[in-house]
PDB file of all heavy atoms in Angstrom:
ATOM      1  N   ARG A 999     -13.408  -0.497 -20.203  1.00  0.00           N
ATOM      2  CA  ARG A 999     -12.083   0.069 -20.160  1.00  0.00           C
ATOM      3  C   ARG A 999     -11.301   0.057 -21.487  1.00  0.00           C
ATOM      4  O   ARG A 999     -10.482   0.855 -21.691  1.00  0.00           O
ATOM      5  CB  ARG A 999     -11.307  -0.795 -19.084  1.00  0.00           C
ATOM      6  CG  ARG A 999     -11.767  -0.567 -17.597  1.00  0.00           C
ATOM      7  CD  ARG A 999     -11.184  -1.462 -16.650  1.00  0.00           C
ATOM      8  NE  ARG A 999      -9.720  -1.258 -16.584  1.00  0.00           N
ATOM      9  CZ  ARG A 999      -9.114  -0.353 -15.984  1.00  0.00           C
ATOM     10  NH1 ARG A 999      -9.738   0.565 -15.324  1.00  0.00           N
ATOM     11  NH2 ARG A 999      -7.739  -0.279 -15.990  1.00  0.00           N
ATOM     12  N   ARG A1025      -6.041   9.861 -23.247  1.00  0.00           N
ATOM     13  CA  ARG A1025      -6.180  11.409 -22.972  1.00  0.00           C
ATOM     14  C   ARG A1025      -6.596  12.156 -24.239  1.00  0.00           C
ATOM     15  O   ARG A1025      -6.968  13.262 -24.147  1.00  0.00           O
ATOM     16  CB  ARG A1025      -4.952  11.932 -22.291  1.00  0.00           C
ATOM     17  CG  ARG A1025      -3.772  11.877 -23.127  1.00  0.00           C
ATOM     18  CD  ARG A1025      -2.567  12.076 -22.125  1.00  0.00           C
ATOM     19  NE  ARG A1025      -1.295  11.989 -22.764  1.00  0.00           N
ATOM     20  CZ  ARG A1025      -0.641  13.084 -23.260  1.00  0.00           C
ATOM     21  NH1 ARG A1025      -1.160  14.253 -23.180  1.00  0.00           N
ATOM     22  NH2 ARG A1025       0.530  12.875 -23.905  1.00  0.00           N
ATOM     23  N   GLN A1034     -16.404   3.504 -10.494  1.00  0.00           N
ATOM     24  CA  GLN A1034     -17.093   2.874  -9.365  1.00  0.00           C
ATOM     25  C   GLN A1034     -16.710   3.472  -8.061  1.00  0.00           C
ATOM     26  O   GLN A1034     -17.502   3.665  -7.184  1.00  0.00           O
ATOM     27  CB  GLN A1034     -16.899   1.345  -9.411  1.00  0.00           C
ATOM     28  CG  GLN A1034     -17.818   0.609  -8.520  1.00  0.00           C
ATOM     29  CD  GLN A1034     -17.667  -0.924  -8.613  1.00  0.00           C
ATOM     30  OE1 GLN A1034     -16.759  -1.339  -9.246  1.00  0.00           O
ATOM     31  NE2 GLN A1034     -18.512  -1.617  -8.078  1.00  0.00           N
ATOM     32  N   SER A1035     -15.409   3.648  -7.908  1.00  0.00           N
ATOM     33  CA  SER A1035     -14.866   4.173  -6.628  1.00  0.00           C
ATOM     34  C   SER A1035     -14.887   5.769  -6.654  1.00  0.00           C
ATOM     35  O   SER A1035     -14.382   6.345  -5.738  1.00  0.00           O
ATOM     36  CB  SER A1035     -13.461   3.709  -6.435  1.00  0.00           C
ATOM     37  OG  SER A1035     -12.582   4.181  -7.368  1.00  0.00           O
ATOM     38  N   LEU A1038     -12.202  10.382  -6.930  1.00  0.00           N
ATOM     39  CA  LEU A1038     -11.975  11.804  -6.644  1.00  0.00           C
ATOM     40  C   LEU A1038     -10.561  12.010  -6.072  1.00  0.00           C
ATOM     41  O   LEU A1038     -10.174  11.236  -5.205  1.00  0.00           O
ATOM     42  CB  LEU A1038     -13.045  12.462  -5.803  1.00  0.00           C
ATOM     43  CG  LEU A1038     -14.407  12.277  -6.279  1.00  0.00           C
ATOM     44  CD1 LEU A1038     -15.375  12.955  -5.225  1.00  0.00           C
ATOM     45  CD2 LEU A1038     -14.612  12.914  -7.618  1.00  0.00           C
ATOM     46  N   TRP A1039      -9.851  12.976  -6.566  1.00  0.00           N
ATOM     47  CA  TRP A1039      -8.455  13.125  -6.046  1.00  0.00           C
ATOM     48  C   TRP A1039      -8.600  13.834  -4.667  1.00  0.00           C
ATOM     49  O   TRP A1039      -9.025  14.971  -4.475  1.00  0.00           O
ATOM     50  CB  TRP A1039      -7.679  14.003  -6.989  1.00  0.00           C
ATOM     51  CG  TRP A1039      -7.599  13.363  -8.271  1.00  0.00           C
ATOM     52  CD1 TRP A1039      -7.066  12.101  -8.582  1.00  0.00           C
ATOM     53  CD2 TRP A1039      -8.059  13.836  -9.538  1.00  0.00           C
ATOM     54  NE1 TRP A1039      -7.231  11.767  -9.953  1.00  0.00           N
ATOM     55  CE2 TRP A1039      -7.771  12.900 -10.558  1.00  0.00           C
ATOM     56  CE3 TRP A1039      -8.692  14.978  -9.962  1.00  0.00           C
ATOM     57  CZ2 TRP A1039      -8.086  13.037 -11.966  1.00  0.00           C
ATOM     58  CZ3 TRP A1039      -9.042  15.184 -11.276  1.00  0.00           C
ATOM     59  CH2 TRP A1039      -8.722  14.159 -12.220  1.00  0.00           C
ATOM     60  N   PRO A1040      -8.121  13.110  -3.628  1.00  0.00           N
ATOM     61  CA  PRO A1040      -8.410  13.547  -2.229  1.00  0.00           C
ATOM     62  C   PRO A1040      -7.602  14.772  -1.878  1.00  0.00           C
ATOM     63  O   PRO A1040      -8.056  15.565  -1.004  1.00  0.00           O
ATOM     64  CB  PRO A1040      -7.947  12.361  -1.344  1.00  0.00           C
ATOM     65  CG  PRO A1040      -7.032  11.608  -2.221  1.00  0.00           C
ATOM     66  CD  PRO A1040      -7.484  11.807  -3.650  1.00  0.00           C
ATOM     67  N   HIS A1041      -6.633  15.132  -2.623  1.00  0.00           N
ATOM     68  CA  HIS A1041      -5.719  16.344  -2.241  1.00  0.00           C
ATOM     69  C   HIS A1041      -6.252  17.557  -2.957  1.00  0.00           C
ATOM     70  O   HIS A1041      -5.715  18.580  -2.726  1.00  0.00           O
ATOM     71  CB  HIS A1041      -4.338  16.033  -2.499  1.00  0.00           C
ATOM     72  CG  HIS A1041      -4.130  15.708  -3.960  1.00  0.00           C
ATOM     73  ND1 HIS A1041      -4.448  14.422  -4.548  1.00  0.00           N
ATOM     74  CD2 HIS A1041      -3.511  16.341  -5.027  1.00  0.00           C
ATOM     75  CE1 HIS A1041      -4.164  14.447  -5.749  1.00  0.00           C
ATOM     76  NE2 HIS A1041      -3.618  15.636  -6.116  1.00  0.00           N
ATOM     77  N   ARG A1053      -8.567  22.326 -17.336  1.00  0.00           N
ATOM     78  CA  ARG A1053      -7.224  22.701 -17.277  1.00  0.00           C
ATOM     79  C   ARG A1053      -6.296  22.074 -18.274  1.00  0.00           C
ATOM     80  O   ARG A1053      -5.502  22.576 -18.974  1.00  0.00           O
ATOM     81  CB  ARG A1053      -6.705  22.497 -15.866  1.00  0.00           C
ATOM     82  CG  ARG A1053      -5.518  23.345 -15.446  1.00  0.00           C
ATOM     83  CD  ARG A1053      -5.358  23.251 -13.972  1.00  0.00           C
ATOM     84  NE  ARG A1053      -3.953  23.045 -13.702  1.00  0.00           N
ATOM     85  CZ  ARG A1053      -3.464  22.503 -12.591  1.00  0.00           C
ATOM     86  NH1 ARG A1053      -4.343  21.928 -11.713  1.00  0.00           N
ATOM     87  NH2 ARG A1053      -2.252  22.309 -12.389  1.00  0.00           N
ATOM     88  N   MET A1054      -6.630  20.627 -18.456  1.00  0.00           N
ATOM     89  CA  MET A1054      -5.868  19.975 -19.412  1.00  0.00           C
ATOM     90  C   MET A1054      -6.202  20.336 -20.770  1.00  0.00           C
ATOM     91  O   MET A1054      -5.372  20.186 -21.675  1.00  0.00           O
ATOM     92  CB  MET A1054      -6.170  18.350 -19.214  1.00  0.00           C
ATOM     93  CG  MET A1054      -5.764  17.800 -17.909  1.00  0.00           C
ATOM     94  SD  MET A1054      -3.997  17.975 -17.594  1.00  0.00           S
ATOM     95  CE  MET A1054      -4.060  19.131 -16.284  1.00  0.00           C
ATOM     96  N   ARG A1055      -7.420  20.892 -20.998  1.00  0.00           N
ATOM     97  CA  ARG A1055      -7.751  21.312 -22.350  1.00  0.00           C
ATOM     98  C   ARG A1055      -7.465  22.811 -22.530  1.00  0.00           C
ATOM     99  O   ARG A1055      -7.967  23.452 -23.386  1.00  0.00           O
ATOM    100  CB  ARG A1055      -9.242  21.107 -22.525  1.00  0.00           C
ATOM    101  CG  ARG A1055      -9.583  19.666 -22.768  1.00  0.00           C
ATOM    102  CD  ARG A1055     -11.101  19.312 -22.547  1.00  0.00           C
ATOM    103  NE  ARG A1055     -11.359  17.956 -22.850  1.00  0.00           N
ATOM    104  CZ  ARG A1055     -11.069  16.955 -22.080  1.00  0.00           C
ATOM    105  NH1 ARG A1055     -10.410  17.095 -20.925  1.00  0.00           N
ATOM    106  NH2 ARG A1055     -11.414  15.675 -22.408  1.00  0.00           N
ATOM    107  N   LYS A1082     -13.065  19.613   0.323  1.00  0.00           N
ATOM    108  CA  LYS A1082     -12.316  18.454  -0.027  1.00  0.00           C
ATOM    109  C   LYS A1082     -13.202  17.302  -0.222  1.00  0.00           C
ATOM    110  O   LYS A1082     -14.244  17.219   0.600  1.00  0.00           O
ATOM    111  CB  LYS A1082     -11.149  18.040   0.920  1.00  0.00           C
ATOM    112  CG  LYS A1082     -10.052  19.230   0.941  1.00  0.00           C
ATOM    113  CD  LYS A1082      -9.104  19.019  -0.221  1.00  0.00           C
ATOM    114  CE  LYS A1082      -8.092  20.187  -0.322  1.00  0.00           C
ATOM    115  NZ  LYS A1082      -7.050  20.122   0.638  1.00  0.00           N
ATOM    116  N   ALA A1084     -13.203  14.388   0.995  1.00  0.00           N
ATOM    117  CA  ALA A1084     -13.425  13.663   2.207  1.00  0.00           C
ATOM    118  C   ALA A1084     -14.536  14.349   3.122  1.00  0.00           C
ATOM    119  O   ALA A1084     -15.149  13.693   3.977  1.00  0.00           O
ATOM    120  CB  ALA A1084     -12.111  13.517   2.961  1.00  0.00           C
ATOM    121  N   GLN A1091     -20.255  13.000  -3.279  1.00  0.00           N
ATOM    122  CA  GLN A1091     -19.043  12.580  -4.072  1.00  0.00           C
ATOM    123  C   GLN A1091     -19.416  12.073  -5.441  1.00  0.00           C
ATOM    124  O   GLN A1091     -18.753  12.393  -6.395  1.00  0.00           O
ATOM    125  CB  GLN A1091     -18.398  11.482  -3.343  1.00  0.00           C
ATOM    126  CG  GLN A1091     -17.619  11.943  -1.993  1.00  0.00           C
ATOM    127  CD  GLN A1091     -16.945  10.907  -1.283  1.00  0.00           C
ATOM    128  OE1 GLN A1091     -16.677   9.931  -1.778  1.00  0.00           O
ATOM    129  NE2 GLN A1091     -16.607  11.159  -0.013  1.00  0.00           N
TER     130      GLN A1091
ATOM    131  N   ASP B 344      -5.737   4.006  -5.251  1.00  0.00           N
ATOM    132  CA  ASP B 344      -6.741   3.499  -6.224  1.00  0.00           C
ATOM    133  C   ASP B 344      -6.182   3.732  -7.611  1.00  0.00           C
ATOM    134  O   ASP B 344      -6.011   4.935  -7.886  1.00  0.00           O
ATOM    135  CB  ASP B 344      -8.155   4.123  -5.901  1.00  0.00           C
ATOM    136  CG  ASP B 344      -9.205   3.561  -6.785  1.00  0.00           C
ATOM    137  OD1 ASP B 344      -8.845   2.767  -7.713  1.00  0.00           O
ATOM    138  OD2 ASP B 344     -10.358   3.976  -6.544  1.00  0.00           O
ATOM    139  N   MET B 347      -7.600   6.683  -9.752  1.00  0.00           N
ATOM    140  CA  MET B 347      -7.207   8.033  -9.469  1.00  0.00           C
ATOM    141  C   MET B 347      -6.424   8.472 -10.646  1.00  0.00           C
ATOM    142  O   MET B 347      -6.540   9.573 -11.243  1.00  0.00           O
ATOM    143  CB  MET B 347      -6.320   8.170  -8.262  1.00  0.00           C
ATOM    144  CG  MET B 347      -7.049   7.820  -6.962  1.00  0.00           C
ATOM    145  SD  MET B 347      -8.135   9.235  -6.613  1.00  0.00           S
ATOM    146  CE  MET B 347      -8.997   8.524  -5.127  1.00  0.00           C
ATOM    147  N   GLU B 349      -6.228   6.790 -13.600  1.00  0.00           N
ATOM    148  CA  GLU B 349      -6.998   6.715 -14.815  1.00  0.00           C
ATOM    149  C   GLU B 349      -8.003   7.840 -15.095  1.00  0.00           C
ATOM    150  O   GLU B 349      -8.194   8.344 -16.204  1.00  0.00           O
ATOM    151  CB  GLU B 349      -7.834   5.370 -14.692  1.00  0.00           C
ATOM    152  CG  GLU B 349      -6.952   4.128 -14.849  1.00  0.00           C
ATOM    153  CD  GLU B 349      -7.649   2.838 -14.458  1.00  0.00           C
ATOM    154  OE1 GLU B 349      -8.858   2.972 -14.002  1.00  0.00           O
ATOM    155  OE2 GLU B 349      -7.050   1.842 -14.336  1.00  0.00           O
ATOM    156  N   ALA B 351      -7.403  10.798 -14.263  1.00  0.00           N
ATOM    157  CA  ALA B 351      -6.607  11.980 -14.878  1.00  0.00           C
ATOM    158  C   ALA B 351      -6.235  11.645 -16.260  1.00  0.00           C
ATOM    159  O   ALA B 351      -6.271  12.593 -17.085  1.00  0.00           O
ATOM    160  CB  ALA B 351      -5.331  12.019 -14.068  1.00  0.00           C
ATOM    161  N   ARG B 352      -6.143  10.428 -16.720  1.00  0.00           N
ATOM    162  CA  ARG B 352      -5.933  10.055 -18.110  1.00  0.00           C
ATOM    163  C   ARG B 352      -7.101  10.375 -18.956  1.00  0.00           C
ATOM    164  O   ARG B 352      -7.045  11.036 -19.949  1.00  0.00           O
ATOM    165  CB  ARG B 352      -5.620   8.563 -18.273  1.00  0.00           C
ATOM    166  CG  ARG B 352      -4.159   8.304 -18.031  1.00  0.00           C
ATOM    167  CD  ARG B 352      -3.935   6.831 -17.856  1.00  0.00           C
ATOM    168  NE  ARG B 352      -3.891   6.132 -19.152  1.00  0.00           N
ATOM    169  CZ  ARG B 352      -3.856   4.805 -19.358  1.00  0.00           C
ATOM    170  NH1 ARG B 352      -3.810   4.042 -18.232  1.00  0.00           N
ATOM    171  NH2 ARG B 352      -3.847   4.275 -20.499  1.00  0.00           N
ATOM    172  N   ALA B 354      -9.317  12.662 -18.101  1.00  0.00           N
ATOM    173  CA  ALA B 354      -9.426  14.131 -18.128  1.00  0.00           C
ATOM    174  C   ALA B 354      -8.433  14.709 -19.154  1.00  0.00           C
ATOM    175  O   ALA B 354      -8.518  15.861 -19.554  1.00  0.00           O
ATOM    176  CB  ALA B 354      -9.175  14.678 -16.755  1.00  0.00           C
ATOM    177  N   ALA B 356      -4.767  14.263 -19.041  1.00  0.00           N
ATOM    178  CA  ALA B 356      -3.483  14.549 -18.554  1.00  0.00           C
ATOM    179  C   ALA B 356      -2.412  13.662 -18.960  1.00  0.00           C
ATOM    180  O   ALA B 356      -2.589  12.396 -19.032  1.00  0.00           O
ATOM    181  CB  ALA B 356      -3.470  14.597 -16.918  1.00  0.00           C
ATOM    182  N   ARG B 360       2.415  15.278 -16.159  1.00  0.00           N
ATOM    183  CA  ARG B 360       1.394  16.076 -15.399  1.00  0.00           C
ATOM    184  C   ARG B 360       0.731  15.195 -14.387  1.00  0.00           C
ATOM    185  O   ARG B 360       0.508  15.522 -13.229  1.00  0.00           O
ATOM    186  CB  ARG B 360       0.368  16.615 -16.433  1.00  0.00           C
ATOM    187  CG  ARG B 360      -1.010  17.035 -15.808  1.00  0.00           C
ATOM    188  CD  ARG B 360      -0.855  18.277 -14.954  1.00  0.00           C
ATOM    189  NE  ARG B 360      -0.702  19.446 -15.805  1.00  0.00           N
ATOM    190  CZ  ARG B 360      -0.804  20.735 -15.410  1.00  0.00           C
ATOM    191  NH1 ARG B 360      -0.687  20.971 -14.117  1.00  0.00           N
ATOM    192  NH2 ARG B 360      -0.733  21.641 -16.265  1.00  0.00           N
ATOM    193  N   SER B 364       0.673  16.160 -10.545  1.00  0.00           N
ATOM    194  CA  SER B 364      -0.631  16.548 -10.056  1.00  0.00           C
ATOM    195  C   SER B 364      -1.267  15.544  -9.139  1.00  0.00           C
ATOM    196  O   SER B 364      -2.103  15.815  -8.338  1.00  0.00           O
ATOM    197  CB  SER B 364      -1.556  17.030 -11.150  1.00  0.00           C
ATOM    198  OG  SER B 364      -1.008  18.138 -11.752  1.00  0.00           O
ATOM    199  N   PRO B 368       1.295  14.127  -4.962  1.00  0.00           N
ATOM    200  CA  PRO B 368       0.567  14.624  -3.845  1.00  0.00           C
ATOM    201  C   PRO B 368       0.013  13.438  -3.039  1.00  0.00           C
ATOM    202  O   PRO B 368      -0.012  13.479  -1.839  1.00  0.00           O
ATOM    203  CB  PRO B 368      -0.479  15.408  -4.459  1.00  0.00           C
ATOM    204  CG  PRO B 368      -0.069  15.888  -5.782  1.00  0.00           C
ATOM    205  CD  PRO B 368       0.699  14.790  -6.260  1.00  0.00           C
ATOM    206  N   GLN B 444      -5.981  14.922   4.598  1.00  0.00           N
ATOM    207  CA  GLN B 444      -6.609  14.769   3.222  1.00  0.00           C
ATOM    208  C   GLN B 444      -5.988  13.648   2.398  1.00  0.00           C
ATOM    209  O   GLN B 444      -6.393  13.392   1.316  1.00  0.00           O
ATOM    210  CB  GLN B 444      -6.448  15.979   2.447  1.00  0.00           C
ATOM    211  CG  GLN B 444      -6.699  17.299   3.160  1.00  0.00           C
ATOM    212  CD  GLN B 444      -8.194  17.508   3.401  1.00  0.00           C
ATOM    213  OE1 GLN B 444      -8.880  16.702   3.027  1.00  0.00           O
ATOM    214  NE2 GLN B 444      -8.441  18.530   4.165  1.00  0.00           N
ATOM    215  N   THR B 449     -12.943   6.644  -0.891  1.00  0.00           N
ATOM    216  CA  THR B 449     -13.531   5.308  -1.023  1.00  0.00           C
ATOM    217  C   THR B 449     -12.489   4.326  -1.169  1.00  0.00           C
ATOM    218  O   THR B 449     -11.387   4.661  -1.647  1.00  0.00           O
ATOM    219  CB  THR B 449     -14.436   5.286  -2.258  1.00  0.00           C
ATOM    220  OG1 THR B 449     -13.767   5.920  -3.348  1.00  0.00           O
ATOM    221  CG2 THR B 449     -15.732   6.080  -2.049  1.00  0.00           C
ATOM    222  N   PHE B 452     -11.391  -0.396  -5.883  1.00  0.00           N
ATOM    223  CA  PHE B 452     -12.052  -1.489  -6.212  1.00  0.00           C
ATOM    224  C   PHE B 452     -11.135  -2.578  -6.930  1.00  0.00           C
ATOM    225  O   PHE B 452     -11.516  -3.754  -7.019  1.00  0.00           O
ATOM    226  CB  PHE B 452     -13.242  -1.105  -7.185  1.00  0.00           C
ATOM    227  CG  PHE B 452     -14.362  -0.635  -6.464  1.00  0.00           C
ATOM    228  CD1 PHE B 452     -14.399   0.595  -5.901  1.00  0.00           C
ATOM    229  CD2 PHE B 452     -15.510  -1.519  -6.261  1.00  0.00           C
ATOM    230  CE1 PHE B 452     -15.481   1.023  -5.199  1.00  0.00           C
ATOM    231  CE2 PHE B 452     -16.596  -1.070  -5.600  1.00  0.00           C
ATOM    232  CZ  PHE B 452     -16.640   0.093  -4.975  1.00  0.00           C
ATOM    233  N   ARG B 453     -10.069  -2.101  -7.404  1.00  0.00           N
ATOM    234  CA  ARG B 453      -9.089  -3.070  -7.911  1.00  0.00           C
ATOM    235  C   ARG B 453      -7.765  -2.796  -7.281  1.00  0.00           C
ATOM    236  O   ARG B 453      -7.433  -1.667  -6.846  1.00  0.00           O
ATOM    237  CB  ARG B 453      -9.005  -2.798  -9.441  1.00  0.00           C
ATOM    238  CG  ARG B 453     -10.203  -3.133 -10.221  1.00  0.00           C
ATOM    239  CD  ARG B 453      -9.999  -2.702 -11.673  1.00  0.00           C
ATOM    240  NE  ARG B 453      -9.918  -1.267 -11.723  1.00  0.00           N
ATOM    241  CZ  ARG B 453      -8.795  -0.681 -12.366  1.00  0.00           C
ATOM    242  NH1 ARG B 453      -7.972  -1.413 -12.824  1.00  0.00           N
ATOM    243  NH2 ARG B 453      -8.811   0.602 -12.342  1.00  0.00           N
TER     244      ARG B 453
END
Side-chain angles (χ1 to χ4, degrees):
Chain A
R999 290 173 61 78
R1025 63 197 178 94
Q1034 188 174 14
S1035 63
L1038 300 181
W1039 301 301
H1041 57 289
R1053 204 167 133 205
M1054 294 306 110
R1055 285 161 177 75
K1082 290 282 172 73
Q1091 289 178 18
Chain B
D344 184 350
M347 296 287 173
E349 288 163 5
R352 278 168 78 185
R360 164 70 79 173
S364 292
Q444 317 285 357
T449 45
F452 278 76
R453 294 171 297 125

